[in-house]
Amino acid sequence: MSSTSPTPPKPTAAFPLSRHENDGKSSYGGRDVVGYASDPPIVKWPRGAKVALNLVLNYEEGGENCLLHGDGESEKLLSEIVGASAIVGQRHANMESLYDYGARAGFWRLHDLLVRKQVPCTVFAVGMALERNPPVCRAMARAGWEVASHGYRWWDYQNVEEATEREHIRRTVQIHEEMGLGRPVGMYQGKPNIHTRKLVVEEGGFLYDSDSYADDLPYWTTEYGKPHLIIPYTLSENDMRFAIPNGFSHGGEFFTYLKDSLRKEGNAQNDERGSALPSGRTSRPDQRPRGFLGLCEGLWRRCLDLSSGRNRRAFL
């Protein structure tokens, strides 16, 4: 019996109705469906830690869709209004005030908790939102947090023209610098398109992006002419699940899910996990971020040399 791996069948003209030029390819159009396969790199986290935890605070409030921001409709995503839809040509008073809560109160509740517990985090920050709130920017800088770019707008960039998205990326970098946060070296557009990564690499100053859910470990791409690091994000350990069907119904479920996930991944001993805490929702008293952060007490923390000491990780 041969010990060599079987060769995938090659598509032929015998299947004209189902044949496609990408048939049989494992790497195509920016996708790679093989990755590390059964041979992932052996990761040795500092001090023998089992998990590298990247805690993310999403700051989007003030950059969402709104007529006051020059948009043609109101915001519809990620609020406590069940089944919300965009209102074309009109303002949505309740939606606006829900987003305002995140900037006025929610951010500060999470900020005070993280600082008090001495738990570092990365902020995925929308440029327009940062520009509107200097006190928030000063607090992020004082805390020593990495403030990565979350794009200039809290938009779906699927159908945004390349020229516009390119300008938005340049503009949000400038805002970070002008608000005293330094240039961002990480990018999570959040709702990107197939050209976003090319534009991020083209800009020249980003060391990584997180617009991928493709792996448990960071990986590299050279698709755009030079090595570019991808640190995958997660939508599972993410409080957006409070706003989707069959998601979390209360903070206890979120806490239990995060705790179980950390224990499971710790047993695997080869993982980097991300967990997201958007300021508008997780900060509510019933969402219980304190319980989760209790797991982080006593973790060994250090700065990684990705962003001159701004990209912080906790190791468990």
Side-chain angles (χ1 to χ4, degrees):
M1 180 181 294
S2 171
S3 61
T4 59
S5 300
T7 301
K10 295 182 179 180
T12 70
F15 306 104
L17 299 181
S18 60
R19 185 179 183 182
H20 188 274
E21 62 182 9
N22 288 329
D23 290 348
K25 296 179 181 178
S26 59
S27 181
Y28 56 100
R31 299 182 62 180
D32 177 359
V33 299
V34 174
Y36 296 123
S38 62
D39 189 29
I42 303 301
V43 179
K44 294 184 179 180
W45 301 118
R47 296 191 181 180
K50 297 179 178 181
V51 174
L53 175 66
N54 189 20
L55 187 65
V56 175
L57 171 62
N58 286 310
Y59 188 75
E60 301 145 353
E61 294 81 1
E64 77 283 356
N65 279 291
C66 179
L67 266 65
L68 296 176
H69 304 162
D71 303 308
E73 61 184 26
S74 64
E75 186 55 69
K76 64 186 178 207
L77 294 177
L78 300 182
S79 77
E80 293 167 330
I81 303 174
V82 178
S85 58
I87 303 176
V88 178
Q90 297 182 53
R91 294 174 60 186
H92 191 319
N94 283 344
M95 184 66 75
E96 290 177 18
S97 64
L98 282 168
Y99 270 78
D100 289 349
Y101 176 88
R104 293 165 55 102
F107 168 82
W108 295 106
R109 293 172 66 95
L110 289 172
H111 167 271
D112 294 349
L113 177 61
L114 290 166
V115 170
R116 187 169 68 251
K117 295 292 185 180
Q118 297 184 324
V119 174
C121 78
T122 293
V123 184
F124 286 164
V126 170
M128 178 182 277
L130 289 176
E131 195 174 31
R132 296 185 190 283
N133 203 328
V136 160
C137 295
R138 289 193 292 269
M140 292 177 185
R142 283 195 304 268
W145 295 345
E146 178 202 9
V147 184
S149 175
H150 199 1
Y152 174 62
R153 296 296 312 275
W154 175 230
W155 274 2
D156 184 345
Y157 279 84
Q158 178 65 35
N159 296 313
V160 174
E161 294 182 355
E162 263 192 59
T164 299
E165 187 176 15
R166 181 180 289 109
E167 180 179 297
H168 279 199
I169 292 171
R170 288 192 296 106
R171 185 170 183 182
T172 200
V173 168
Q174 180 175 315
I175 289 171
H176 277 246
E177 294 174 332
E178 290 177 347
M179 302 305 290
L181 298 168
R183 78 139 291 137
V185 297
M187 164 66 85
Y188 175 66
Q189 192 80 290
K191 293 173 283 189
N193 58 63
I194 60 172
H195 304 296
T196 299
R197 180 161 294 135
K198 178 189 73 173
L199 299 178
V200 168
V201 175
E202 174 190 286
E203 192 275 337
F206 289 99
L207 299 181
Y208 76 92
D209 79 70
S210 289
D211 278 310
S212 172
Y213 310 95
D215 213 304
D216 293 319
L217 292 171
Y219 60 95
W220 294 89
T221 180
T222 56
E223 185 178 5
Y224 301 107
K226 64 179 181 179
H228 178 71
L229 182 64
I230 300 170
I231 302 178
Y233 193 49
T234 178
L235 296 180
S236 54
E237 289 85 4
N238 190 306
D239 91 331
M240 68 167 289
R241 295 184 62 182
F242 283 110
I244 61 174
N246 300 318
F248 302 130
S249 60
H250 58 83
E253 292 179 349
F254 190 25
F255 169 66
T256 298
Y257 185 88
L258 292 171
K259 180 175 64 175
D260 291 347
S261 177
L262 277 177
R263 285 174 175 167
K264 179 190 70 174
E265 301 301 342
N267 290 333
Q269 299 188 25
N270 199 37
D271 205 2
E272 173 166 8
R273 304 304 295 170
S275 181
L277 302 173
S279 56
R281 296 181 304 283
T282 322
S283 57
R284 299 289 188 178
D286 62 336
Q287 304 307 355
R288 208 187 298 183
R290 292 171 179 79
F292 170 59
L293 293 179
L295 293 174
C296 300
E297 291 191 62
L299 299 185
W300 184 77
R301 291 178 284 274
R302 58 163 286 186
C303 295
L304 294 183
D305 189 22
L306 274 179
S307 57
S308 301
R310 293 193 303 278
N311 193 2
R312 303 176 68 85
R313 299 289 188 273
F315 298 96
L316 170 60

